[in-house]
């Protein structure tokens, strides 16, 4: 009878370990999927930026500093590592906000169909980036809670599952609303 009890306890522990491990695997894959989704929309934004810059160049020839700032921020974001990606993306978002605010000074640009189409595409992409970041941060929260919660932290430490970093704005200036008018 004691042997059956010991075997039952061991079986329960093994089953719990397997279920917990599989939960961590699923969460890790959700985190990777979330980050990959952000990447897809950031790539779309990177691809759209040169078109916006070229359109604005035709109307705003003496706004070189703003155009160069967007180009520089785009390059920095493309070259960024995972550790500073959110910071560089925030810089790019700020620079794009400044670029789009130029439309106030150029009524012809504001009425240009191509520019309006590009603005609408950018607005859609920014919305998708926001949703992707929320999803990613949500699954990161799930992962981090599972890694830190007892008793699953035992499986996490044994199998080398770690907490993940949130994709968040780090610069307080970036937290302020950017006034963009379409």
């Amino acid at each position: 009878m004691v042997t059956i009890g010991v075997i039952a306890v061991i079986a329960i522990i093994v089953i719990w370990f397997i279920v917990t491990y599989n939960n961590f695997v699923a969460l890790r894959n959700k985190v990777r999927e979330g980050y990959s989704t952000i990447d897809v929309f950031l790539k779309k934004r990177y691809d759209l930026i040169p078109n916006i810059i070229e359109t604005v160049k035709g109307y705003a020839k003496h706004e070189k500093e703003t155009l160069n700032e967007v180009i520089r921020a785009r390059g920095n974001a493309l070259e960024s590592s995972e550790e500073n990606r959110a910071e560089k993306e925030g810089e790019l978002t700020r620079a794009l906000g400044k670029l789009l605010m130029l439309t106030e000074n150029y009524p012809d640009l504001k009425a240009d169909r191509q520019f309006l189409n590009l603005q609408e595409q950018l607005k859609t992409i920014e919305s998708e980036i926001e949703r992707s970041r929320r999803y990613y941060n949500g699954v990161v929260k799930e992962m981090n809670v599972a890694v830190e919660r007892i008793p699953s932290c035992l499986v996490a430490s044994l199998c080398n599952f770690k907490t993940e970093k949130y994709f968040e704005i780090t610069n307080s200036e970036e937290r302020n609303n950017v006034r963009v008018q379409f």
Side-chain angles (χ1 to χ4, degrees):
M1 191 68 144
V2 174
T3 308
I4 293 173
V6 171
I7 291 173
V9 168
I10 291 172
I12 290 171
I13 291 171
V14 168
I15 290 169
W16 169 81
F17 185 90
I18 291 170
V19 168
T20 304
Y21 178 86
N22 288 337
N23 184 43
F24 278 120
V25 169
L27 287 171
R28 180 179 58 200
N29 286 325
K30 279 183 168 182
V31 168
R32 288 176 180 167
E33 174 209 11
Y35 196 84
S36 177
T37 302
I38 292 172
D39 246 4
V40 167
F41 289 113
L42 293 176
K43 171 103 173 75
K44 283 183 178 182
R45 181 170 70 169
Y46 299 151
D47 292 345
L48 186 63
I49 290 170
N51 295 330
I52 293 172
I53 289 172
E54 286 304 313
T55 303
V56 171
K57 268 186 189 177
Y59 290 96
K61 294 186 185 340
H62 60 279
E63 300 288 352
K64 292 235 186 267
E65 183 179 320
T66 303
L67 295 171
N68 287 336
E69 184 179 343
V70 172
I71 293 167
R72 188 173 36 257
R74 178 181 180 263
N76 289 341
L78 279 168
E79 303 282 322
S80 65
S81 64
E82 281 191 37
E83 291 80 41
N84 68 351
R85 182 105 188 242
E87 177 186 341
K88 298 301 179 187
E89 289 301 328
E91 291 172 10
L92 178 56
T93 299
R94 251 192 347 274
L96 278 173
K98 287 180 186 176
L99 178 68
L100 293 176
M101 285 175 30
L102 289 177
T103 60
E104 295 301 310
N105 300 330
Y106 301 95
D108 291 342
L109 175 62
K110 200 172 182 177
D112 183 271
R113 283 184 190 251
Q114 181 183 358
F115 184 72
L116 292 174
N117 181 33
L118 293 169
Q119 273 187 318
E120 192 57 39
Q121 287 178 41
L122 183 61
K123 183 179 172 185
T124 301
I125 290 169
E126 290 295 334
S127 177
E128 291 296 330
I129 291 170
E130 177 197 352
R131 277 196 287 279
S132 299
R133 283 175 55 174
R134 273 190 279 155
Y135 173 78
Y136 173 80
N137 285 340
V139 294
V140 164
K141 179 182 141 197
E142 283 182 56
M143 177 69 156
N144 291 349
V145 166
V147 167
E148 295 172 350
R149 184 179 283 158
I150 294 174
S152 62
C153 66
L154 300 172
V155 175
S157 64
L158 285 172
C159 298
N160 205 24
F161 288 101
K162 306 279 187 214
T163 57
E164 299 285 340
K165 286 181 65 174
Y166 290 101
F167 198 104
E168 61 188 356
I169 296 171
T170 55
N171 185 339
S172 63
E173 185 180 319
E174 294 174 36
R175 294 182 189 272
N176 298 332
N177 288 334
V178 177
R179 186 174 160 254
V180 178
Q181 290 187 333
F182 294 107

